[in-house]
Structures are given as structure tokens and as C-alpha cells.
Amino acid sequence: MKILCLHGYGTNIAVLENQLSTIASNVDDIDFEYVNGQIESPKASGLGAFTTGPFWCYYDSFAPSKVREAHEMITEIIEDEGPFDGILGFSQGASLAVAYLLQHEIDHPGEPAPFKFALIFSSVISFTPDDSYCMDVLHSLNDEEIEKLAAFPNVDLSILPADAKTLFGTMVKALNAGMEGGFLHAHPDPDVFRRRDSSMIPRILHPALIHERIRVPTVHVVGKMDDPLMLEQSKLMFQLCDTKVSKWLEHSAGHDVPRTPEDAKAVCKALAWAADEGESQSLLCRL
């Protein structure tokens, strides 16, 4: 079995390999294929003093055009090194995995997914790679409302329409949490709102604003001690998945991959379930 693995913001494949070491030691016949992000970034908060760089991220802007480049990277990896059975991500890598799978459902409804299952560790919010996503919400905003958004991140949402509050209110909370936790380097350029440039305005993938769901089995793993705002983001990403083939696991630590033997065994059990379910789905698609 072959799994593509995506690390968190401001880390690298060596960090993720270390994070997954307890889980990897409890499974057999799995090839974990790690890939660094394409953009060098500051070192993530919480990494030890002796953790060496360079450090990477998959995107340092949340503009659809930049997120799309990260999706194109995954597609190229699949073409060059695939096929892969599953995809695994931590934090930013997890949010990218969710967005990639969901975008496939949007762009290619009814077609087999590029991965049979996904392991999602402490996902932050996912951003769209699609310029046209929620364009009706953007087009509905008048100049006064655009100016409110241009005050980002100190946004007064009170005058925004309901869908705009959902879209941008959640995004503001997510980005502030990421900045405070050291998982993000900078907020988006607020002038993108004034320019009304759809290729540059960040938009989150929110379950209340999109009807498609990820149909492959997913396992979402979070730390009980993670920041509540980070957990809120992970729960939203869980809601983008088909509940019939999704599992939610909590481990004893914070914003990290499970490290204790007990927590790691629970993840491995869920991984086996997801792999079996994914293979069953794949067989049905070929009938």
C-alpha cells in the first residue's frame, strides 16, 4: 500500500516522518511517500531548537491561483509517481488533501477519486483553488461591504449578508488562530477585496456553502488539547466528507500527530478500516 504524505506549514518531510514514526512502526507493508512543499517558509512555532531546515509550505497565500498551484503539484506527483492508495496530511497538508479530494468531486462528479482513502491530522481550514467558487457571494457585495472586508483582519461583519458572514467570518477566525498559533506567516493582502480580483480573493471551503462531499473513506484525527479555534476548523473539514464513510478520532495531545502507543494503535485500526472501505469502493467502481 502506498500513501502520499503532506507535512504542515513551516516544516518539512523529516519533521513529518518523525511525527509519524510511532504510527509507522505499528503497520506493515505501507510505503509512506513524503513530499516537501514548493515554497520556503519560516520555521513553524513549536519545533525544537535543533530541528533543521529548510522549512516549507504548500502555499503562502490563500488566493485561488496560489492554492491551484499546490493542487497541480499533487496532480503531477500522481502522474509521475502514482498511483497511490491513500493521501495523508497534517495541518496545512491535511487541509490541502481535503481541498484536493473535494475539488475532484466538484470537477469530476461520478468519476473515481485520485485516492482511495485519506488520513487527515489536525486539519486547518481548506481554501478553494477555483476562481468561480462563491462568486455569487462576492458579486452581491456593495462598495461599503467591500470596504469593510478591506479592513481585514479587523473586519466588521455586522453589515454583511448571511452567506458573506459565513464565508469571511469563518475565514477571519481561522486565519487569526493560525497567526496566533504560529502556523501561518501573514494575512492576505486586504486590497484584493477592493480590486475584486476573483483569482486573488481567498475563500474557504465551507460545508454550508457547498453541497458536494468527499465520498472516499476519511479518518480525521485531532488532539483534545488543541486550540478550540483549531478544533473548530478540523470539525468543518470533517463536515465536507460523507458521514457514512468518515471517522473522527481524538488523541491525548494538542496540534500534533498521535505519539503514544495507545493513540497510535487507534489510528492504525482506523487506517486499516479506511483502506478496506476504499478498496471495496474501488472494486465496485470497476464492476
Side-chain angles (χ1 to χ4, degrees), residues 2-4 33 77-78 81-87 114-116:
K2 192 172 176 181
I3 300 177
L4 179 64
E33 295 279 341
I77 292 170
I78 294 171
E81 303 178 30
F84 293 90
D85 296 286
I87 187 169
F115 300 96
K116 298 175 184 176

Side-chain angles (χ1 to χ4, degrees), residues 15 17 23 46 76 135 157 165 199 213 237 240 250:
V15 171
E17 191 169 11
I23 292 171
E76 290 175 5
M135 281 302 295
L157 301 171
K165 285 181 181 178
S199 70
R213 294 293 183 263
M237 297 305 92
L240 290 171
E250 296 182 355

